Amino acid sequence: MTRKCAIVTGAARGIGLATTDLFLEQGWTVAMVDRDAEELRKVASARDHVLAVERDVSNPQDVNAMVRDTLERAGRIDALVNNAGVAEFGPIEDCDFEMWRRVMATNLDGVFLCTRACTDALKDSRGAIVNIASISGLRASTLRVAYGTSKAAVIHLTKQHAAELGEFGIRANCVAPGPVKTKLSMAVHSPAIIQAYHDAIPLNRYGSERELAEAIVFLASDKASYVNGQVLAVDGGFDSTGVGLPALREPV
């Protein structure tokens, strides 16, 4: 119980898994939260100092159980990384209410529920919240009416938590990833989309999961002890150039 403990949601793959590994490298315990039980068990079994917590962040009962599970086994919560998210893209006319709610339930409700459930423990540790938004929450883009809106709301929710929880020593910050090279993005992005992203990003490449993890773990650490209510775009400069590329409007 002397090791700091981070809860990382959506930890079974991608940015969440890379963030878990970096916390572990720095001597933390990590409660790995994911609703994909099979994948979670597989990756957790290959790591020490982790807790596999099979929960759905959009379900209030699951979220409360997540906190109980973590406190019972780790004794503390020093950081909450709200990374779990879903991405459903398509033209605005194809976004029905069911799709809207699926996206909001995880991307926005999940952040609210997890933060609310962790607040008392974070007060005790004077800990940190790091929410994962997106550049799609900073600037409108094509095919992302629900996704982009959910991420814009996460950005404001982060600032709201920073304003209200700061007096308890809790810092809340947000990372807004740009295009990241993951197995999923490489599977669904056509060569034309990949080239369009490269052309629009000043660094001319996708980011890596590890690069995102570095920013997340920094904001959760004591090195960022006076950083609160901020949005850090980790995007190779993409937000500075605008979004909404013509190639993204083409069917994948």
Side-chain angles (χ1 to χ4, degrees), residues 3-252:
R3 294 172 66 100
K4 285 188 173 184
C5 177
I7 291 178
V8 179
T9 69
R13 56 177 56 80
I15 294 170
L17 185 57
T19 300
T20 294
D21 286 338
L22 186 52
F23 272 124
L24 294 175
E25 288 176 26
Q26 298 192 3
W28 291 54
T29 295
V30 180
M32 302 178 68
V33 182
D34 210 287
R35 64 186 181 188
D36 185 342
E38 182 178 355
E39 187 66 18
L40 178 62
R41 292 191 197 106
K42 183 177 75 173
V43 296
S45 66
R47 290 162 172 80
D48 296 325
H49 302 294
V50 299
L51 319 173
V53 183
E54 299 164 15
R55 301 291 180 183
D56 182 345
V57 300
S58 69
N59 182 304
Q61 289 74 35
D62 270 15
V63 170
N64 290 335
M66 170 195 81
V67 174
R68 289 196 304 270
D69 293 347
T70 302
L71 289 175
E72 285 173 3
R73 297 167 66 186
R76 58 192 292 173
I77 299 171
D78 298 273
L80 167 65
V81 179
N82 284 306
N83 170 69
V86 298
E88 294 193 39
F89 301 152
I92 192 168
E93 61 269 21
D94 292 344
C95 180
D96 58 20
F97 187 64
E98 287 72 22
M99 174 181 169
W100 177 271
R101 280 307 312 154
R102 283 195 302 271
V103 173
M104 294 296 169
T106 297
N107 293 7
L108 180 57
D109 298 351
V111 174
F112 168 78
L113 291 170
C114 290
T115 303
R116 186 173 185 274
C118 288
T119 295
D120 285 345
L122 290 171
K123 286 180 181 179
D124 291 340
S125 65
R126 299 180 71 83
I129 301 160
V130 185
N131 296 327
I132 311 306
S134 169
I135 56 161
S136 294
L138 292 169
R139 296 283 297 273
S141 183
T142 49
L143 309 180
R144 287 162 171 78
V145 62
Y147 180 79
T149 303
S150 73
K151 294 301 189 179
V154 166
I155 289 169
H156 184 80
L157 185 58
T158 302
K159 294 181 179 182
Q160 197 69 46
H161 284 135
E164 297 198 26
L165 298 178
E167 65 181 288
F168 302 106
I170 299 173
R171 298 179 297 104
N173 292 289
C174 188
V175 170
V180 180
K181 188 175 183 179
T182 65
K183 290 181 180 179
L184 177 61
S185 67
M186 292 300 97
V188 302
H189 287 182
S190 67
I193 289 176
I194 293 171
Q195 186 58 53
Y197 271 130
H198 285 193
D199 290 344
I201 297 169
L203 291 184
N204 301 124
R205 64 176 177 85
Y206 283 53
S208 71
E209 295 163 351
R210 176 71 179 211
E211 287 173 315
L212 268 296
E214 293 281 1
I216 294 164
V217 173
F218 164 72
L219 289 173
S221 76
D222 292 338
K223 292 180 180 179
S225 58
Y226 200 53
V227 181
N228 191 32
Q230 300 305 302
V231 182
L232 176 59
V234 184
D235 67 349
F238 189 27
D239 180 52
S240 69
T241 64
V243 293
L245 305 177
L248 293 178
R249 300 188 181 98
E250 300 298 326
V252 177

